[in-house]
Amino acid sequence: MRVAPQPPHEESRLAALRDTGLLDTEPEPEFDELVRLATLVCRTPFGHIGLVDRERVFFKARVGFPLAELPRDEACSAWVLLGTEPLVIPDLGLDERFQATPGLSRLPVRFYAGAPLLTQQGLALGALSVLDVAPSALDPAQVEGLAILARQVSARIELRRAARQQEKAHAQLSQTLFELANREARLAAVLDTAVEGIVTIDGKGTIQSFNRAAERIFGWAGAEVLGRNVSLLMPEPDHSRHDTYLRRYLETGRAHVIGHGREVRGLRKDGSVFPLYLAVSEVRPCSRGRLFTGILRDISDLKEADRLKREFVSVVSHELRTPIASIRGALGLLEGGAAGPLSEQGAELSRIALSNADRVTRLVGDILDLGKLEAGRLELFLQPVSARDLAAEALQGIRPLADEAGVPLSLQGEDAQLMGDRDRLLQVLTNLVANAVKFSPLGSPVVLAIHEGPTRVRFEVVDRGPGISQQDLPRLFQRFQQLDGSDRRLKGGTGLGLAISKALVEQHGGTIGVQSEPGVGSTFWFEVPRGGPSTAMERENGLPR
C-alpha cells in the first residue's frame, strides 16, 4: 500500500482539528444520524466520520464499522484530504494504492467512497465515508448526496469549533476582567492610602479620579468633583487660564507644568487659598484618550515654618548689626591707637578680631539679602546694561585681590545688551570671579567670557583651579555649603555667596550652573534673558509677548 502524501498546510490543518475538541470524544447522535443517512443514500452497510490526526484516523461516528481508529497510513480517509471533491474507489483490491493493506485484512472492505470535511478556510479535517464488502459504484445523485451530507457534517464541526473558541475567548475575557478588577482594586487601595493627593483629568480638564488625600487637601468629596473641570480647584488667575494652558499643550505638546514639579496655589471648598506643590504627567498610552495625572501636596505648614524661620533670621540679623558695628568701630579705634600704642601681640589680636568682625558683617548682610530674595521682597531695578562694561567693572573690583594672589585676569567676547539690575548682576559676577581667584594657583589665569545668543546672554568664569568632584556639584549652590578640601576651608567665606548668586540669577529669569573636572579646573556660568525676567516668565508660561 502506498502512503498518502500530506496535504498542504498540514500544521494549520492539525491545529484546526484540535480546535474542534472532537478527538477522543464519545459518540454523539447528531453525527451518528448523518452517517446513518449517508449509508442509506449510498446503500452501503458501513459508514463513518474519520478525523485524520497526525499518525491516526479517529472515527467520531460509526455505522456498522467496528474499529474506533486506524493508523493514518492504512486509512482511505487520508487520501480524501488531497482534494475537495468526493473520492470514489469501486474496488480497493484493484487500486494499487490500497492493495495488500493491513486494514483490508482486518475488515475486508472492497468499496470506498468519501467526501472531505472542509473548514471555512478550506482545510480538510477528515472525511464522511461509506464502505461495502463487495465492489460497488455510486450514481451521480448518490455522489452529490454524500457531498451534501459531508457539508452538513462540516457545518456542525465548524459550529463546534466556533463555540469552543467562543468559550475560550469568554474564559480569557473573564480572567482578564477578573485581573483588571483586582488590579483596579489594588490601585484604588494604593491611591486611597497615598499621602499625596492624586487627581486625574482628561484632555478637556474634566476630573476623572480624586483620591482621599485630595479630598482632605481640598475639602471636597470625590463624588462632588468627578465630572467637573479641574479649574474648580484653582484660584484666579489660574482658574480662568487653565483651559488655555491645556489647549495649548494639546496643540503644541509644550507646557510649563507637564513633566515638571512646581509650586502653585490651590483653592479649597471653603474658598481659602493655600500653597501647593504640583507635579503633572501624561498617561501614555491610554484607552480613554489623553489622560493627565497630578500628584500634589499641601505645603502650607512648610511655608509657614519657612516664613517663621526667615523672620527669625531677619530679626536676629537686624539685631546683630548694631552690636557688630559697635564692636568693629571699637576695634578700629584700638588699631588706630585711640587707646594708646598696642604691643605687637595686641596689634595682631586686634587685626584678627577686626577681620572676623568684617566676616560676621558680611554674613549678616548675606543672610538679609537671601531672606529678601526668598521672600520675594528684593526688588530689581531693571535698566539697559552693557554686558562687557559689567564684566570689566567686576574684574576691576577684583583686580587687587587677584594681584595679591598672583592670578592674571582677562576678558573675552563681544559686547551684548540686556535688561537687568546692574548692581545685582555685578554682585553675581564679582562673587564668581572672586571664588575663581581664591582657588586658582599662583600664575594660573582666570577668564571671564561673554557669549551672546538670540534671546540670552551667557557669562562664563573659567579657572584652572583644583576642580570639584561630581558628588559635590549638586550641593554647590545650597546655603551654608563649603566643600571639604585641604585649602577650601582656609579660604574662608560665608557659604552663602553661590546660593545668593543662584537666587539673583533666577529672579532675572535666568539659570546658573558649573562644569568642573578635578585637577583640570571649573567653569561657572549663568545666562539671563536679554529682554529681562518678564520676557522669560512669559515664554515659560506660554503667554504671548
Side-chain angles (χ1 to χ4, degrees):
M1 176 185 177
R2 288 165 51 194
V3 177
Q6 286 190 352
H9 313 295
E10 175 68 359
E11 293 304 320
S12 298
R13 188 193 70 80
L14 290 171
L17 176 61
R18 284 173 172 73
D19 280 346
T20 66
L22 293 175
L23 291 174
D24 300 314
T25 58
E26 296 296 320
E28 298 179 49
E30 63 174 319
F31 293 111
D32 292 342
E33 290 173 357
L34 288 172
V35 175
R36 179 62 179 163
L37 185 56
T39 61
L40 292 175
V41 169
C42 298
R43 299 183 183 280
T44 60
F46 310 118
H48 59 62
I49 293 174
L51 302 176
V52 183
D53 202 354
R54 189 182 298 275
E55 303 290 342
R56 57 162 184 160
V57 176
F58 169 70
F59 299 115
K60 171 62 180 174
R62 296 173 286 158
V63 172
F65 194 79
L67 302 178
E69 62 178 49
L70 268 176
R72 180 171 173 170
D73 295 345
E74 300 179 18
C76 300
S77 303
W79 291 90
V80 181
L81 304 185
L82 303 179
T84 59
E85 299 297 327
L87 172 68
V88 180
I89 305 173
D91 190 345
L92 293 170
L94 300 179
D95 193 311
E96 64 176 3
R97 293 173 293 182
F98 303 101
Q99 289 175 352
T101 175
L104 295 180
S105 63
R106 274 180 276 181
L107 183 66
V109 296
R110 298 290 298 276
F111 170 76
Y112 175 84
L117 305 176
L118 301 173
T119 67
Q120 292 179 349
Q121 292 76 33
L123 301 172
L125 304 183
L128 170 62
S129 306
V130 292
L131 308 94
D132 202 340
V133 294
S136 184
L138 297 180
D139 59 38
Q142 289 175 312
V143 173
E144 183 180 2
L146 183 63
I148 291 173
L149 290 171
R151 289 195 291 272
Q152 293 298 312
V153 174
S154 298
R156 281 165 172 74
I157 291 176
E158 283 290 273
L159 287 174
R160 185 68 59 88
R161 190 159 73 106
R164 183 177 171 83
Q165 289 176 341
Q166 187 174 10
E167 288 176 1
K168 286 183 178 179
H170 180 73
Q172 186 175 6
L173 178 61
S174 298
Q175 180 65 26
T176 301
L177 291 175
F178 177 75
E179 291 175 357
L180 286 175
N182 279 344
R183 189 180 306 168
E184 288 195 6
R186 291 195 298 269
L187 179 60
V190 170
L191 293 179
D192 282 340
T193 56
V195 176
E196 291 83 6
I198 302 175
V199 181
T200 58
I201 63 172
D202 62 16
K204 296 180 180 179
T206 304
I207 298 175
Q208 302 294 313
S209 70
F210 203 74
N211 75 337
R212 291 181 182 174
E215 291 179 340
R216 291 193 298 271
I217 291 172
F218 289 99
W220 291 95
E224 295 178 293
V225 298
L226 293 180
R228 300 177 67 177
N229 194 281
V230 72
S231 60
L232 169 76
L233 310 176
M234 304 174 185
E236 293 292 356
D238 293 328
H239 177 86
S240 301
R241 293 176 178 173
H242 176 265
D243 289 346
T244 303
Y245 292 155
L246 187 57
R247 184 172 62 254
R248 184 174 291 112
Y249 172 74
L250 295 175
E251 292 172 354
T252 66
R254 297 193 304 270
H256 65 289
V257 179
I258 308 299
H260 302 280
R262 62 178 297 174
E263 184 181 327
V264 297
R265 296 187 307 154
L267 179 65
R268 293 191 180 93
K269 183 179 180 180
D270 61 10
S272 59
V273 178
F274 64 101
L276 194 66
Y277 183 81
L278 172 67
V280 181
S281 59
E282 183 175 0
V283 181
R284 295 182 180 177
C286 181
S287 59
R288 290 184 289 175
R290 307 295 286 268
L291 196 66
F292 302 90
T293 299
I295 299 178
L296 42 92
R297 180 182 299 169
D298 183 352
I299 56 174
S300 300
D301 292 342
L302 291 176
K303 298 293 286 185
E304 178 61 17
D306 196 46
R307 183 187 66 81
L308 293 174
K309 180 189 68 176
R310 287 198 306 269
E311 287 185 358
F312 171 77
V313 171
S314 178
V315 169
V316 170
S317 300
H318 276 293
E319 293 299 323
L320 284 174
R321 274 187 163 178
T322 300
I324 289 174
S326 177
I327 292 172
R328 192 189 185 289
L331 289 171
L333 291 173
L334 283 175
E335 193 174 35
L342 297 175
S343 64
E344 182 178 346
Q345 184 178 9
E348 177 64 17
L349 291 174
S350 176
R351 188 190 63 78
I352 293 173
L354 187 59
S355 174
N356 280 283
D358 288 339
R359 184 179 178 186
V360 173
T361 301
R362 291 195 303 272
L363 175 60
V364 170
D366 286 348
I367 290 174
L368 289 174
D369 281 349
L370 191 59
K372 289 178 182 178
L373 283 166
E374 292 179 340
R377 297 197 305 268
L378 188 66
E379 184 178 356
L380 297 181
F381 297 96
L382 302 180
Q383 57 182 316
V385 177
S386 163
R388 192 170 181 87
D389 289 348
L390 189 71
E393 187 175 348
L395 293 182
Q396 187 63 30
I398 297 299
R399 197 165 300 279
L401 175 65
D403 291 343
E404 183 181 351
V407 174
L409 302 177
S410 64
L411 175 60
Q412 297 179 359
E414 299 298 324
D415 194 12
Q417 297 296 315
L418 59 98
M419 289 292 294
D421 187 314
R422 181 183 183 85
D423 291 339
R424 294 304 180 180
L425 292 176
L426 182 62
Q427 180 180 350
V428 175
L429 276 176
T430 301
N431 181 67
L432 296 183
V433 176
N435 283 344
V437 168
K438 281 195 295 184
F439 295 106
S440 292
L442 180 67
S444 177
V446 169
V447 178
L448 174 52
I450 302 169
H451 302 279
E452 182 180 11
T455 60
R456 292 186 165 230
V457 177
R458 181 182 177 101
F459 296 88
E460 293 183 351
V461 178
V462 184
D463 68 59
R464 297 179 187 173
I468 303 164
S469 65
Q470 291 299 311
Q471 59 265 30
D472 285 333
L473 288 178
R475 58 191 182 94
L476 196 60
F477 291 93
Q478 298 176 11
R479 290 174 294 180
F480 301 106
Q481 291 295 325
Q482 288 183 305
L483 305 184
D484 293 331
S486 58
D487 70 335
R488 282 193 171 95
R489 294 288 179 178
L490 298 177
K491 300 293 184 179
T494 65
L496 289 174
L498 289 178
I500 293 173
S501 296
K502 180 175 185 292
L504 287 172
V505 170
E506 290 177 348
Q507 193 160 350
H508 276 81
T511 54
I512 190 170
V514 58
Q515 290 99 35
S516 186
E517 184 178 347
V520 176
S522 304
T523 299
F524 282 82
W525 59 268
F526 71 92
E527 294 179 344
V528 290
R530 298 184 61 177
S534 60
T535 303
M537 190 172 299
E538 287 171 357
R539 187 177 296 110
E540 179 188 356
N541 290 326
L543 299 177
R545 293 183 58 179

